Amino acid sequence: MAKAPVLTPQAEDFPRWYQDLINKAELADNGPVRGTMVIRPYGYGLWERMQQEMDARIKVAGAQNAYFPLFIPQSYLTREAEHVEGFAPELAIVTHGGGKDLEEPVVVRPTSETIINEYFSKWVQSYRDLPLLINQWANVVRWEMRPRVFLRTTEFLWQEGHTAHATYEDAREYAARIHRDVYADFMTEVLGIDVVLGRKTPRERFAGAVNTLTLEAMMGDGKALQMGTSHELGTNFAKAFHTEYLSKEGRQELVWQTSWGTSTRMVGGLIMSHGDDQGLRVPPRLAAVQAVVLAIKGDDAVVTAVRSIGDRLRAAGIRVHVDDRTETPFGRRVVDWELKGVPVRIEVGPRDLENGTAMLARRIPGGKEPVPIEALADLLPAVLEEDQATLLRESRTRRTSLTSEASTVEEAAEAAAAGGWARIRWDVLGPAGEARLAEQGVSVRCLVAEDGSVPRSDDAPGTVAVVARAY
């Protein structure tokens, strides 16, 4: 009788596979309040590495980290009508605290445009104070009706950037810089996920923004996942909060603003983009553990050898973990590390020591081969880079092979229903066609130019709509 698979096969039930993997790879658990999650150490380690890589890029772009309160006076949100209307269904509002009713209800942070503008209006006085570039790492709460761990949770972790500029051009270029040099660079070069860069339609635009730039990725089942967004806010919030500066010419001018963010949703994207029926596959540049060295048996010489190998690999700059838990069966440990998607396993037993070799198992392409122990430190960096490139190539190939050209709304809807994406000219689709797609559970993920660049406007000549079912 065949053994039951550790995970539900993707082809059988992709959502169940996703949940199985989160549980068995020990990434997260459901929290005690519906829609919340507990991120376990291995899952949080992935988020920490994402933070480190993202934070470095954000700082290169000139932004500094700060922190703003979790509680926001409800009156702040009502100052920008479109913003509060967009978030109203998702708000968590506190009306009682300290044993009595509050004089004014407070909103649990859904995003921070309003409270940050309250302080920008105090901090910005002159053109010399601009640009003001702020980022914060925080949690936010948006009441989620259809929760799914990492993808849609009532509380999640993220970074949110907020900036103020002297001119529209400066603000627009900065939003594009974050979109391109921070987000796209991180997602392709570190996460190994192919993303399409585009602009959202007015229907899909962030509440209160004049333009939203997005990064869309195709998951293993052909659906789309929004991986991050960068918004041009125009002067909408500046008008509501009187965020003004004295120009060089001595005039009071409104600032032009941006906001931008990515979240723990990227962990879900990582799982669904790279995972297979054996578990997660973590890109080597992201992995907190790039290589695990396993002792096959509790032989003293073997344990000493795996610890020595671990030391040499660390000295070579590889993030390594030594697994000498020989009281746990070797097969079980192998399955656990495969589930967690560690890029490389180095297995050492008594016979390997006699031969001066270790068994090198590569999680991403698969396969095992004996390698001289003395060669490991020199060999692994190239192996890890090769496997990093493999994941990006697979991600890109999946997207291109499952994206079709459509000439009618019906063709676009059929492509999405079949588990892929479609491209259709925006002047053919238009807002009316977008509404028809929405009735069928299909959305316009972004608008792109025919050459793959980001259009300067919604109705730029040659603009193409990318449509798909989405998470």
Side-chain angles (χ1 to χ4, degrees):
M1 183 176 179
K3 288 180 63 176
V6 176
L7 303 174
T8 300
Q10 290 184 354
E12 181 179 312
D13 189 333
F14 195 85
R16 174 62 66 88
W17 165 85
Y18 177 81
Q19 194 59 52
D20 283 354
L21 179 49
I22 286 173
N23 292 335
K24 294 186 179 180
E26 299 179 336
L27 300 178
D29 271 329
N30 290 315
V33 175
R34 185 178 183 274
T36 63
M37 63 177 169
V38 175
I39 305 177
R40 300 186 67 176
Y42 191 76
Y44 198 82
L46 296 174
W47 176 240
E48 281 183 314
R49 287 284 302 145
M50 291 181 184
Q51 283 183 301
Q52 291 164 16
E53 292 283 349
M54 289 278 293
D55 198 60
R57 287 166 172 77
I58 288 168
K59 286 172 177 168
V60 168
Q64 296 178 297
N65 286 337
Y67 186 78
F68 292 83
L70 174 68
F71 296 122
I72 302 173
Q74 189 175 32
S75 59
Y76 284 18
L77 270 76
T78 61
R79 294 190 207 175
E80 215 290 327
E82 186 179 350
H83 187 67
V84 70
E85 181 181 356
F87 278 98
E90 301 174 313
L91 296 181
I93 301 174
V94 179
T95 60
H96 192 82
K100 59 181 181 181
D101 292 337
L102 301 180
E103 291 184 11
E104 178 184 355
V106 296
V107 174
V108 182
R109 173 175 54 219
T111 181
S112 298
E113 279 77 9
T114 57
I115 192 167
I116 287 178
N117 262 280
E118 176 73 11
Y119 287 87
F120 274 16
S121 67
K122 297 178 181 180
W123 298 345
V124 174
Q125 302 298 324
S126 162
Y127 69 90
R128 298 182 183 87
D129 300 322
L130 299 173
L132 179 56
L133 313 174
I134 295 294
N135 177 65
Q136 78 164 342
W137 292 94
N139 62 337
V140 292
V141 171
R142 299 178 185 177
W143 215 257
E144 182 56 56
M145 302 309 294
R146 296 181 299 278
R148 196 167 186 185
V149 173
F150 288 124
L151 300 178
R152 292 187 177 277
T153 49
T154 296
E155 179 190 13
F156 54 91
L157 306 180
W158 77 346
Q159 59 76 211
E160 53 176 319
H162 300 268
T163 69
H165 305 260
T167 67
Y168 162 70
E169 291 76 14
D170 192 41
R172 181 178 64 184
E173 174 50 37
Y174 196 79
R177 180 181 181 184
I178 293 294
H179 187 226
R180 177 188 64 244
D181 297 345
V182 176
Y183 291 167
D185 183 75
F186 166 71
M187 291 169 192
T188 56
E189 297 301 314
V190 179
L191 295 187
I193 296 177
D194 176 65
V195 288
V196 172
L197 283 68
R199 63 186 286 137
K200 288 291 191 183
T201 64
R203 179 189 181 99
E204 296 289 331
R205 193 174 289 157
F206 178 73
V210 298
N211 181 34
T212 290
L213 304 174
T214 184
L215 302 100
E216 303 288 330
M218 181 183 283
M219 300 294 99
D221 60 351
K223 289 185 180 179
L225 184 71
Q226 178 181 290
M227 297 286 285
T229 47
S230 182
H231 314 290
E232 299 170 27
L233 301 180
T235 57
N236 289 348
F237 289 89
K239 290 174 184 175
F241 287 84
H242 308 291
T243 311
E244 301 176 333
Y245 71 98
L246 187 67
S247 71
K248 289 182 180 180
E249 294 73 30
R251 296 191 300 268
Q252 286 295 124
E253 304 277 2
L254 291 168
V255 300
W256 297 81
Q257 293 183 271
T258 77
S259 68
W260 26 277
T262 56
S263 75
T264 39
R265 172 179 285 197
M266 291 190 295
V267 179
L270 179 78
I271 295 167
M272 294 194 297
S273 183
H274 296 322
D276 62 19
D277 285 347
Q278 283 68 54
L280 188 58
R281 294 189 301 167
V282 180
R285 292 181 189 170
L286 177 74
V289 178
Q290 294 174 311
V292 59
V293 188
L294 290 92
I296 295 176
K297 292 186 177 181
D299 180 284
D300 288 345
V302 169
V303 171
T304 299
V306 297
R307 291 173 181 172
S308 175
I309 292 170
D311 290 340
R312 275 184 278 175
L313 295 181
R314 286 190 196 94
I318 296 166
R319 296 185 291 276
V320 64
H321 176 83
V322 173
D323 185 349
D324 55 8
R325 302 168 298 152
T326 52
E327 69 280 1
T328 301
F330 175 70
R332 177 177 173 181
R333 287 184 286 143
V334 166
V335 170
D336 286 345
W337 289 116
E338 284 189 337
L339 282 166
K340 288 180 166 61
V342 171
V344 167
R345 293 195 318 275
I346 299 161
E347 303 168 0
V348 182
R351 188 172 303 170
D352 299 298
L353 283 186
E354 291 176 8
N355 297 328
T357 61
M359 190 63 70
L360 177 64
R362 294 168 64 175
R363 177 68 182 88
I364 291 164
K368 298 171 71 169
E369 63 176 333
V371 173
I373 290 174
E374 296 300 323
L376 284 168
D378 292 331
L379 177 67
L380 283 192
V383 165
L384 294 171
E385 282 301 295
E386 182 181 314
D387 291 352
Q388 178 79 30
T390 294
L391 288 178
L392 179 59
R393 184 171 60 252
E394 289 179 356
S395 177
R396 184 162 292 147
T397 298
R398 177 173 61 241
R399 179 182 64 82
T400 56
S401 66
L402 294 180
T403 299
S404 60
E405 300 295 327
S407 57
T408 66
V409 175
E410 290 72 25
E411 287 179 1
E414 288 173 7
W421 292 9
R423 286 164 44 94
I424 181 171
R425 283 173 43 195
W426 178 238
D427 60 1
V428 171
L429 182 66
E434 183 179 17
R436 286 170 58 193
L437 287 176
E439 293 173 357
Q440 301 176 64
V442 178
S443 59
V444 175
R445 303 314 305 158
C446 61
L447 301 176
V448 299
E450 287 180 317
D451 64 1
S453 62
V454 180
R456 301 278 289 195
S457 63
D458 297 339
D459 55 358
T463 295
V464 174
V466 177
V467 309
R469 294 189 183 277
Y471 283 95

